[in-house]
Amino acid sequence: DARSHATVATVAVGNDARNVAANFLIDEVYVSNFGSGTVSVVSTATNAVVATLPVGTNPQAPVSNDRLKKTYVTSAVDGTVAVIDQRTRSVTRTIRVGNAPQYAAVDGQHGKVYVNNVADRTVSVIDSATDAVVNTLPSGAGTSSNFGAVNALYRRYYLPNATDDTLTVIDTDTDRVVATLPVGSTPVDVLSDGSTGNLYVVDQGSDALTVFDAASEAVIGSFPVGDAPARVYESGDLLLVLNGNGGNRDSLTIATKQ
């Protein structure tokens, strides 16, 4: 409970649960079970599993299109994206994409989903209305650690490429690659801040965040964080950076947005 900071329930899901998505408009949470090849649907009203759905081998992080009431789950092993209808709690389609798809990002404004295919160095664009691939775009050389993000204000999809130290920028209006920007060493995650208009790229190899002006797509600075940063989140005016710290205890860097 966020108000009392107390645990109110422990819900048993599948084997090796790794990632979660939510649609709070319908009070449901979707948990990908890497070892089970399933997604557990949890009702936040009852804190109970209401459905367990097969979605493919070793499913990655689920993402929700709240407006269309669909959940998308990638399988890097199968090269597919499973589509869950949140209204019926059933898998309605399995979409073939590229090789080793990792993480999907929903563009609710245009009704699309962007999937980075690591082995192919491509991005598959899925039309959420038809749940079909409508475009395949080139990207940089990345790894399974790379998370992309959509910026609705500037109509962009950003994908960090950990192997070649770049950020791929895709125009979501035209589905064209409009820039490939150099960043720090081993970029793995990106945060698009709609309030300040800045982008924050997690450079794991540089132990830093690179900061871009999203309007001009120009670097405006960088600042150090902890050792081997992996993910960045936001809370109001603050940035929260999770640091792996090698063999030491993980840490959290808290910084003010720039």
Side-chain angles (χ1 to χ4, degrees):
D1 189 308
R3 293 163 295 188
S4 64
H5 298 158
T7 301
V8 296
T10 300
V11 182
V13 289
N15 182 35
D16 198 3
R18 294 196 178 187
N19 295 283
V20 62
N23 185 349
F24 293 118
L25 297 177
I26 60 173
D27 299 324
E28 288 190 347
V29 171
Y30 307 90
V31 182
S32 60
N33 305 305
F34 189 82
S36 304
T38 60
V39 163
S40 297
V41 183
V42 179
S43 167
T44 60
T46 61
N47 293 324
V49 174
V50 293
T52 301
L53 308 173
V55 291
T57 309
N58 301 146
Q60 305 291 340
V63 293
S64 174
N65 183 320
D66 295 353
R67 185 177 64 84
L68 295 180
K69 295 182 175 59
K70 293 181 178 182
T71 302
Y72 295 86
V73 191
T74 58
S75 167
V77 175
D78 299 342
T80 59
V81 177
V83 185
I84 297 172
D85 186 323
Q86 298 173 357
R87 292 162 295 194
T88 62
R89 297 171 182 157
S90 62
V91 176
T92 57
R93 182 161 299 185
T94 300
I95 307 168
R96 176 69 59 179
V97 288
N99 290 314
Q102 296 301 317
Y103 299 102
V106 169
D107 176 12
Q109 185 177 31
H110 296 92
K112 291 185 284 193
V113 178
Y114 293 84
V115 181
N116 66 313
N117 307 303
V118 171
D120 293 345
R121 300 183 182 182
T122 63
V123 174
S124 295
V125 184
I126 297 171
D127 183 334
S128 293
T130 62
D131 289 326
V133 174
V134 294
N135 217 328
T136 302
L137 309 173
S139 69
T143 70
S144 60
S145 298
N146 288 141
F147 279 75
V150 170
N151 183 317
L153 177 63
Y154 293 104
R155 295 178 170 84
R156 293 289 193 261
Y157 168 72
Y158 304 102
L159 178 64
N161 305 299
T163 302
D164 61 11
D165 302 336
T166 61
L167 182 73
T168 297
V169 183
I170 293 173
D171 184 322
T172 56
D173 281 338
T174 62
D175 285 336
R176 301 179 69 178
V177 176
V178 293
T180 301
L181 307 174
V183 291
S185 175
T186 321
V188 292
D189 196 13
V190 58
L191 172 69
S192 173
D193 179 17
S195 61
T196 66
N198 287 343
L199 294 175
Y200 299 90
V201 180
V202 179
D203 300 320
Q204 191 170 75
S206 304
D207 298 337
L209 292 190
T210 299
V211 186
F212 285 86
D213 181 327
S216 64
E217 293 171 353
V219 174
I220 58 177
S222 66
F223 61 90
V225 290
D227 181 36
R231 297 287 173 257
V232 58
Y233 306 92
E234 62 179 330
S235 177
D237 293 330
L238 299 177
L239 295 171
L240 310 175
V241 183
L242 180 63
N243 307 297
N245 286 340
N248 300 317
R249 179 176 295 180
D250 293 352
S251 67
L252 185 70
T253 298
I254 302 175
T256 304
K257 290 180 179 178
Q258 311 213 343

